[in-house]
Amino acid sequence: MSNQEPQERTDPVEELDELMTDESAEPGMSYTIEYDDDTDSADAGADDTDTADNIDAEPEATAEPSADGAGTGDEEAAAAANTAAAALDEPDEEDSTDDVDDSVFRAYPMFSMRGVTVADAKTGEHIWNDLSMRCEAGTSYGVLVDAHNTRQHDTLVALMAGFAHPAEGSVMTKATPLHDLTPLELRGHRIGVLLQQFALRGDLSPAANLEYAMDASNRNYLKPIAVLAQELLTRVGFAPRGDDNATQAKRSRALVRTLGAVDRARVMVARAIATDPDIVLADEPTATLDETDAATILDLLRAQVHGESKQRTVIVVTTDPHVAGAMDETIDLTH
């Protein structure tokens, strides 16, 4: 790695934040789940009241056992059966807690847009109106947009990456609206963004690009980031395991601007997952690739749903139906 560093290092994500963030945009609405515990409490209170009111009441007449004791055993057996049935009907407290936790988890997908509306600041024309989608962990999605409406395309990517916020509705990761997260929390931890124009620094090597992203995230890593960077490059196929250490090191030190298109795409994927995000968002990742290389990168992106320690959501925004169809599920926004 060269010792000569640029005088000022500006993270391209920060540059894009300044360019695309609209401070005048109203934040999206947040959603909360209220558990109706009052109902159970009210029922319990009613039961206690009834019990108190009936303390002084005369007990109901009970059937007298026969003189010879016939029927006593049957009554005791019936009572025992009723007790056992009641015990079976009572939910286990631990199971109930697990069910609530599971229902809450299912209620919040890894990424979602709910009733999102965005209007042109000058004309008031709706760019997106009442847009909703949900993307689950462990699944890759191809989001198909209109090739002739670049404003919709660019606005959608900005909303999904947290560069801009909707006038109405919400964009969320799990239960958290994106506008509640700082840029560092969002794009340094939650979302790995792969953009064609700003995804890499051409004046840095592939390894230095990854190290730069990991260092800027302020995350704690179990290994030195230089080691992790090389492992990531190997994982995405940039530095194949069959190469010797010297060959891998040489490739890793080459400046990004000298790389071919497919190698740059591999490094972009590696940088997008360098901070181990929950979501990988890619905008037209195959735009500069031929058909063979495009298939390779799409396979690589789809494989990122299975992280080392988590299930991720991978979202590819594209105008190409074939690219969208290569993902596990397609979300068609062209109609």
Side-chain angles (χ1 to χ4, degrees):
M1 186 187 308
S2 172
N3 293 326
Q4 294 182 353
E5 299 287 345
Q7 292 298 319
E8 293 184 7
R9 283 190 171 183
T10 303
D11 191 347
V13 171
E14 295 176 358
E15 292 178 356
L16 201 53
D17 282 344
E18 295 176 1
L19 290 172
M20 300 184 70
T21 301
D22 183 4
E23 296 295 336
S24 64
E26 297 179 9
M29 297 184 295
S30 59
Y31 293 83
T32 57
I33 293 180
E34 296 182 359
Y35 295 100
D36 194 6
D37 292 332
D38 294 339
T39 304
D40 296 338
S41 300
D43 291 342
D47 292 342
D48 292 344
T49 304
D50 292 342
T51 303
D53 292 342
N54 292 332
I55 289 178
D56 297 329
E58 293 183 355
E60 297 181 0
T62 58
E64 292 289 341
S66 60
D68 57 1
T72 302
D74 293 340
E75 293 172 1
E76 291 178 352
N82 290 336
T83 302
L88 289 174
D89 290 338
E90 292 178 359
D92 181 77
E93 182 177 352
E94 182 177 354
D95 291 342
S96 299
T97 302
D98 291 341
D99 290 342
V100 170
D101 291 341
D102 288 344
S103 65
V104 170
F105 179 79
R106 288 192 297 270
Y108 291 116
M110 186 67 78
F111 177 86
S112 65
M113 304 181 81
R114 302 179 183 179
V116 167
T117 296
V118 182
D120 186 284
K122 295 181 180 179
T123 66
E125 177 188 0
H126 281 176
I127 301 173
W128 289 105
N129 184 38
D130 196 25
L131 173 62
S132 297
M133 69 173 73
R134 59 183 291 145
C135 302
E136 306 289 349
T139 306
S140 62
Y141 295 84
V143 180
L144 186 62
V145 294
D146 188 349
H148 303 290
N149 196 330
T150 57
R151 185 172 61 167
Q152 273 195 345
H153 186 160
D154 294 342
T155 301
L156 178 65
V157 173
L159 290 168
M160 297 178 84
F163 294 125
H165 303 300
E168 298 178 14
S170 63
V171 184
M172 305 178 72
T173 172
K174 298 181 181 178
T176 306
L178 298 195
H179 66 72
D180 284 353
L181 300 169
T182 66
L184 181 61
E185 290 174 322
L186 183 58
R187 289 178 293 279
H189 295 252
R190 304 290 187 94
I191 300 179
V193 183
L194 195 161
L195 304 176
Q196 284 296 316
Q197 188 174 0
F198 298 100
L200 297 173
R201 287 188 54 171
D203 62 328
L204 297 179
S205 68
N209 264 277
L210 271 59
E211 293 169 20
Y212 185 69
M214 289 188 282
D215 186 58
S217 72
N218 288 337
R219 294 189 69 137
N220 295 320
Y221 296 92
L222 298 178
K223 299 179 182 179
I225 59 175
V227 174
L228 288 174
Q230 192 61 51
E231 290 180 355
L232 283 167
L233 291 173
T234 301
R235 188 183 308 168
V236 299
F238 177 79
R241 296 182 184 276
D243 290 349
D244 56 45
N245 292 337
T247 302
Q248 288 184 341
K250 182 178 179 181
R251 284 174 58 79
S252 299
R253 287 196 301 266
L255 295 182
V256 162
R257 62 171 170 254
T258 67
L259 300 177
V262 70
D263 279 339
R264 285 199 303 271
R266 290 183 187 276
V267 178
M268 283 192 286
V269 174
R271 174 162 171 160
I273 63 173
T275 58
D276 195 22
D278 296 327
I279 302 164
V280 175
L281 172 64
D283 180 26
E284 296 288 11
T286 63
T288 61
L289 304 177
D290 61 31
E291 184 176 349
T292 301
D293 289 341
T296 298
I297 296 304
L298 292 175
D299 287 343
L300 182 59
L301 279 169
R302 192 168 55 246
Q304 302 314 310
V305 299
H306 304 294
E308 289 189 339
S309 60
K310 66 178 69 174
Q311 293 285 86
R312 296 193 185 101
T313 299
V314 173
I315 305 172
V316 175
V317 181
T318 181
T319 59
D320 188 336
H322 297 291
V323 172
M327 298 295 105
D328 297 328
E329 296 187 18
T330 301
I331 301 174
D332 191 344
L333 301 181
T334 60
H335 303 297

